[in-house]
Amino acid sequence: MRIISGRYKGRRLQSLSGTAVRPTADHVREALFNILSQNVSGSCVLDLFAGTGALGIEALSRGAQYAVFVDTASRPLTVLQKNLQNFGLLTQSRIIRWDISKNLNCLKPFQNQFNLVFMDPPYQKGLVPVALANLMRAQCLAPGATIVAEHERHCDITSPDASLSVTDQRRYGQTGLTFFYFNPDN
């Protein structure tokens, strides 16, 4: 696994062996960031189900201002800490160990701050709608935020809230991406 573009282009990320973490494939990450293009630079990023941090670190490499990484598993978070340290990104980031499926109260201090959110939960557990609902309750999204949910190809993801609208859906092999736009005035 490597960084696709930006300041750290070509540098390798540490990862975990086994099937405990399913990192976003390089070609999917490249397509995702090509779609987002101008939305990344200067953004405040939230990486939910962060694993080893590939999505958030890619965003930082491409000019994101700050990233918060949230996951519940300690092994991936240890690798994430090492990745951030190896890239010199500890001052531009924060790691939070939290069970996203219960709530996102850990994000209350970040009220209206995140304008780019990635969520890549384990497949076949129905966590995207739960995470979206918890994200809305945390009130941490800036107006106009983009949320990208990675999921199984055949999973139909809809908006759980009137202020979130689906703007795009893409398929890459067995992976699906659903893009949401946050408009608090809806």
Side-chain angles (χ1 to χ4, degrees):
M1 199 169 30
R2 62 185 174 82
I3 298 298
I4 305 297
S5 188
R7 184 169 55 177
Y8 304 111
K9 180 181 180 178
R11 288 192 52 191
R12 295 224 173 258
L13 291 161
Q14 289 187 20
S15 60
L16 289 169
S17 59
T19 59
V21 174
R22 177 200 35 78
T24 302
D26 285 357
H27 74 281
V28 175
R29 206 164 4 104
E30 184 171 16
L32 165 62
F33 280 94
N34 285 341
I35 293 165
L36 293 175
S37 61
Q38 287 91 4
N39 292 347
V40 178
S41 185
S43 63
C44 187
V45 174
L46 176 60
D47 190 346
L48 297 174
F49 306 97
T52 58
L55 292 171
I57 293 172
E58 184 75 42
L60 289 168
S61 179
R62 293 171 182 245
Q65 179 182 349
Y66 191 78
V68 174
F69 299 86
V70 182
D71 205 315
T72 189
S74 61
R75 281 187 57 225
L77 290 177
T78 300
V79 174
L80 170 57
Q81 176 79 23
K82 288 178 185 173
N83 280 331
L84 292 171
Q85 187 172 1
N86 291 343
F87 283 78
L89 294 171
L90 291 174
T91 60
Q92 286 180 262
S93 58
R94 180 167 174 202
I95 298 172
I96 301 173
R97 185 173 180 192
W98 197 269
D99 186 349
I100 298 162
S101 67
K102 294 193 188 244
N103 62 53
L104 281 168
N105 293 344
C106 62
L107 300 176
K108 293 283 185 183
F110 299 94
Q111 191 149 8
N112 304 320
Q113 286 190 24
F114 297 111
N115 39 26
L116 183 55
V117 178
F118 301 111
M119 61 175 63
D120 183 11
Y123 284 3
Q124 299 175 350
K125 294 195 178 194
L127 291 173
V128 171
V130 172
L132 285 169
N134 289 340
L135 186 63
M136 297 309 297
R137 279 191 289 279
Q139 299 181 348
C140 61
L141 297 175
T146 298
I147 299 107
V148 183
E150 183 175 333
H151 49 82
E152 306 94 327
R153 174 185 176 86
H154 300 293
C155 189
D156 186 28
I157 304 294
T158 59
S159 173
D161 190 283
S163 59
L164 283 180
S165 56
V166 175
T167 59
D168 197 358
Q169 291 187 308
R170 305 284 177 107
R171 307 283 186 259
Y172 303 94
Q174 295 305 309
T175 301
L177 296 176
T178 300
F179 296 78
F180 297 89
Y181 177 79
F182 175 62
N183 182 354
D185 297 329
N186 277 354

